[in-house]
Amino acid sequence: RVWGLDVLRFYPRSTRHRISNNALERGRNCYMCQFQKFTGLAGVEASKNLEIVPSVTTSRTDARANPAVDPFTHGNVETELGLNVRWALTQNFTTNLALNPDFSQVEADVAQLDVNNQFALQFPESRPFFLEGASYFSTPIQAVFTRTVADPDVGAKLTGQSGDHALGTFAAEDEVTNLLFPGPLTSQQTSIDDSYETFVGHYSHSVLDNSQVGALLTTRHGGDYRNDVGGVDGRIRIGGAHSLRFQMLHSETEYPDATAAAFAQPQGDFAGNAALLRYNYSSREWYSDVTYKRYDQGFRADSGFVSRVDIEQEQFEAGRTWQRGQQRWTQIQLSTDGTYTEDLSGRLLDNNAEIFASFSGPWQSYLQVGGGPMKRFWNGVMYEGDGAFIFSQFRPRGGLNFSMLIRDGDQVDFSNSRLGHEFRLRPNVDWNVNQHLLLRLQQTMVRLDTQEGAKIFDADLTDLRVTWQFNVRSFLRFTTQRQSVTRNLAMWVDPATDAKTVTMGTQLLYSYKVNPQTVLYVGYSDNSLEDDQLVDLTETNRTFFAKFSYAWLR
């Protein structure tokens, strides 16, 4: 489900009801239910249950103190040794231990446009230590988000399932305390240069028929800072088509006095609750989804990612699906959805509704069109508007995939507190040119104008990745990410705003992999900036790095 509740815009609706060109059996609403059982698998032995993976990481970063006038200052070569141990205690439970781990990412995050946003951007986890067993920490409220662990000295994790019992825990000591301060209309982020200890534990127990109940506990403590979160969650299945998910959490938090004062947070201890209830119905022809959320003003989930509090929100989505076999179209879906959000004082914050239709056909094609009215409260004013979108995707041949989002409609200009008109274009291309060459391009182009037609800003974001796969073990990848924002200063309230801002980063990465744990990375990355003080795109920092890890399996 792709929602943009933080801003007044439309995106493609749910894609979980899309199917491929193969028709479902009558009366069934999933493909897995139709799979045949595998037979003939006998004499399978468990893999080796102990992995010891030492690693060495070396890097050097050069930077300019003042990019406008200073030359590069060469940084020191830094070398760190690390150790990761993975031990399968049983066939069901696995423990991981990381000493001085290099939790940095080798791959660059997919770029996101950070202009005219209310809330903090979220980037998905990509580090193997946290990706393994990530499902054990998943709950309806995102109270666990492992990217909050940034630079730990030590980390340990235990995950597994035995019978009706499932358990996921991890603990770490981190050198950097990243904080997210949520609110009803906006969120802020900061980091404190103090270490802290974190613990996350989630236990679930299977009950009845394919239902679960669970309990979650997270803690973060360090110096004058602490955040504790605990509660229960569960999923109840009623028959084959109905399900109910729920979660209730309580948090207690204390920030350092200076941090609380700088970001207008409560002084001393404060607490809050959060609750979520979601009902889902899904059959071959009909589906519906209704969600209720309530987050107190004092609720904080610092081990997770909750960017909006002091709200009470209802969401719904419902639709009808028509299926066919191998025809010009294989699926048609007509749906509607909406969101209604108030703060806990009863003030309306947003109210969106739309109707949309989708079509699936040959070449794995998918087309979705929709639109509708919307309301959004910002800076004391309730803005009203409407919008429409078109999303399309198709695969004309194996290895080539196109997608395109076009959105046109009203949008709040959050920097200048006015209702504007936005046009958004987002094409994506994935192309396996041959067995060696892979191209991936993600582009976002946004223009925001006043209602009278005067330009407020133009923004353009490019994420291009070119990979040459030498063989099954090695590849060379070049990544470039560029964001450009051009503003009409006559339309801006803040006179200190730059008329143009360009940021650009590049990365060249070589990888040689013997197995998933025995791997060599060598790379180079840099960042450049252009603004009103830097008339040309100027390189601000650059990094040379290498990482080698070797796995002993026993």
Side-chain angles (χ1 to χ4, degrees):
R1 182 183 179 90
V2 185
W3 267 98
L5 298 180
D6 53 335
V7 293
L8 209 83
R9 61 171 69 117
F10 280 84
Y11 290 113
R13 295 298 94 190
S14 172
T15 58
R16 66 180 181 274
H17 305 287
R18 293 170 54 188
I19 64 171
S20 72
N21 293 341
N22 299 318
L24 292 169
E25 292 180 9
R26 180 67 62 181
R28 295 197 179 190
N29 65 342
C30 73
Y31 278 107
M32 189 172 294
C33 309
Q34 303 178 78
F35 290 167
Q36 298 295 319
K37 291 184 178 180
F38 286 104
T39 60
L41 299 178
V44 177
E45 297 181 359
S47 62
K48 297 179 180 180
N49 61 2
L50 179 62
E51 296 180 6
I52 302 175
V53 187
S55 64
V56 56
T57 304
T58 183
S59 65
R60 192 193 81 186
T61 298
D62 304 333
R64 287 187 169 104
N66 184 344
V69 296
D70 293 337
F72 274 112
T73 299
H74 295 297
N76 296 324
V77 175
E78 298 181 358
T79 301
E80 291 191 355
L81 301 177
L83 178 66
N84 286 270
V85 179
R86 181 184 183 274
W87 183 22
L89 300 173
T90 68
Q91 292 186 359
N92 300 313
F93 282 89
T94 301
T95 184
N96 300 75
L97 174 65
L99 301 176
N100 194 25
D102 175 27
F103 277 170
S104 62
Q105 292 177 242
V106 174
E107 296 283 353
D109 285 315
V110 175
Q112 299 184 45
L113 199 62
D114 60 354
V115 60
N116 205 42
N117 291 326
Q118 287 176 269
F119 297 98
L121 298 176
Q122 183 180 15
F123 295 90
E125 181 63 85
S126 60
R127 298 170 294 182
F129 180 88
F130 291 113
L131 288 177
E132 183 180 4
S135 60
Y136 290 102
F137 304 98
S138 176
T139 61
I141 298 173
Q142 195 174 10
V144 180
F145 180 54
T146 52
R147 288 199 62 161
T148 58
V149 182
D151 186 21
D153 289 327
V154 61
K157 183 172 67 170
L158 173 67
T159 57
Q161 183 171 350
S162 178
D164 294 335
H165 308 273
L167 177 67
T169 66
F170 75 81
E173 183 175 353
D174 206 342
E175 291 298 310
V176 179
T177 305
N178 292 322
L179 297 175
L180 173 64
F181 305 112
L185 296 174
T186 188
S187 64
Q188 303 178 78
Q189 290 179 295
T190 192
S191 295
I192 304 175
D193 291 330
D194 288 330
S195 62
Y196 72 92
E197 294 80 37
T198 185
F199 171 82
V200 172
H202 183 238
Y203 167 79
S204 64
H205 178 66
S206 297
V207 297
L208 302 175
D209 184 17
N210 295 322
S211 299
Q212 295 87 30
V213 294
L216 175 71
L217 173 66
T218 75
T219 67
R220 295 178 86 196
H221 291 183
D224 296 331
Y225 160 74
R226 70 179 184 91
N227 175 250
D228 300 313
V229 179
V232 296
D233 61 271
R235 178 179 62 185
I236 301 174
R237 292 191 181 276
I238 307 170
H242 305 268
S243 66
L244 187 69
R245 298 204 69 180
F246 67 89
Q247 187 166 18
M248 294 176 287
L249 295 173
H250 175 77
S251 74
E252 296 185 358
T253 309
E254 182 179 8
Y255 295 128
D257 292 341
T259 302
F263 292 90
Q265 299 298 303
Q267 295 281 348
D269 295 339
F270 64 97
N273 300 314
L276 182 147
L277 182 65
R278 178 180 180 183
Y279 165 78
N280 177 265
Y281 171 80
S282 180
S283 70
R284 176 182 171 86
E285 297 179 340
W286 295 94
Y287 77 91
S288 63
D289 194 291
V290 180
T291 303
Y292 169 80
K293 302 176 184 178
R294 179 189 170 98
Y295 298 151
D296 289 349
Q297 184 177 16
F299 179 74
R300 300 289 186 272
D302 290 351
S303 294
F305 194 91
V306 176
S307 61
R308 199 174 189 186
V309 297
D310 189 18
I311 61 167
E312 191 170 24
Q313 184 179 85
E314 297 92 31
Q315 297 173 292
F316 77 91
E317 183 177 343
R320 171 71 160 87
T321 303
W322 292 267
Q323 312 279 0
R324 292 185 67 178
Q326 298 291 341
Q327 306 291 332
R328 292 185 177 180
W329 56 269
T330 58
Q331 173 182 285
I332 295 179
Q333 190 175 91
L334 183 64
S335 308
T336 183
D337 64 12
T339 303
Y340 185 89
T341 309
E342 294 181 341
D343 64 19
L344 296 187
S345 69
R347 179 178 58 186
L348 177 64
L349 300 181
D350 57 65
N351 184 12
N352 307 326
E354 66 177 342
I355 186 170
F356 53 98
S358 62
F359 308 85
S360 298
W363 288 352
Q364 298 184 32
S365 60
Y366 180 74
L367 175 67
Q368 190 176 68
V369 296
M374 48 194 172
K375 296 181 180 179
R376 184 69 175 179
F377 179 82
W378 177 253
N379 200 18
V381 178
M382 178 64 70
Y383 296 99
E384 299 186 28
D386 53 44
F389 71 86
I390 300 175
F391 175 78
S392 63
Q393 179 176 307
F394 71 100
R395 188 184 296 271
R397 67 179 185 86
L400 181 59
N401 183 65
F402 293 99
S403 66
M404 175 75 75
L405 168 67
I406 302 174
R407 192 267 172 188
D408 187 76
D410 296 314
Q411 168 67 287
V412 174
D413 175 11
F414 298 110
S415 298
N416 304 290
S417 299
R418 63 161 72 93
L419 184 65
H421 187 89
E422 180 188 84
F423 178 77
R424 179 176 292 258
L425 184 67
R426 193 175 68 194
N428 291 338
V429 179
D430 282 5
W431 186 15
N432 280 296
V433 181
N434 53 43
Q435 64 179 347
H436 296 289
L437 182 60
L438 170 64
L439 303 177
R440 288 184 173 172
L441 173 65
Q442 300 189 48
Q443 187 83 15
T444 303
M445 293 166 279
V446 178
R447 180 183 176 97
L448 184 65
D449 298 331
T450 66
Q451 291 291 306
E452 295 74 27
K455 184 182 81 171
I456 301 174
F457 70 79
D458 280 320
D460 184 81
L461 176 66
T462 301
D463 188 318
L464 174 64
R465 301 176 188 228
V466 181
T467 302
W468 182 265
Q469 192 81 36
F470 295 100
N471 50 51
V472 71
R473 297 189 184 279
S474 64
F475 68 82
L476 181 68
R477 177 172 298 143
F478 173 74
T479 301
T480 180
Q481 298 175 335
R482 184 180 187 274
Q483 176 176 287
S484 173
V485 182
T486 304
R487 304 172 182 86
N488 179 8
L489 296 186
M491 297 291 105
W492 285 74
V493 173
D494 185 359
T497 303
D498 287 321
K500 184 177 182 180
T501 304
V502 180
T503 58
M504 183 173 178
T506 63
Q507 182 190 72
L508 186 64
L509 175 68
Y510 172 77
S511 170
Y512 184 86
K513 185 176 296 186
V514 177
N515 57 52
Q517 300 293 336
T518 302
V519 59
L520 169 68
Y521 294 106
V522 178
Y524 166 85
S525 64
D526 60 30
N527 292 285
S528 301
L529 173 66
E530 177 184 346
D531 55 22
D532 288 357
Q533 286 72 46
L534 298 171
V535 296
D536 296 315
L537 195 62
T538 303
E539 194 175 19
T540 58
N541 58 72
R542 61 194 181 198
T543 299
F544 305 87
F545 62 91
K547 176 180 179 180
F548 175 72
S549 61
Y550 184 84
W552 276 279
L553 307 179
R554 300 191 64 181

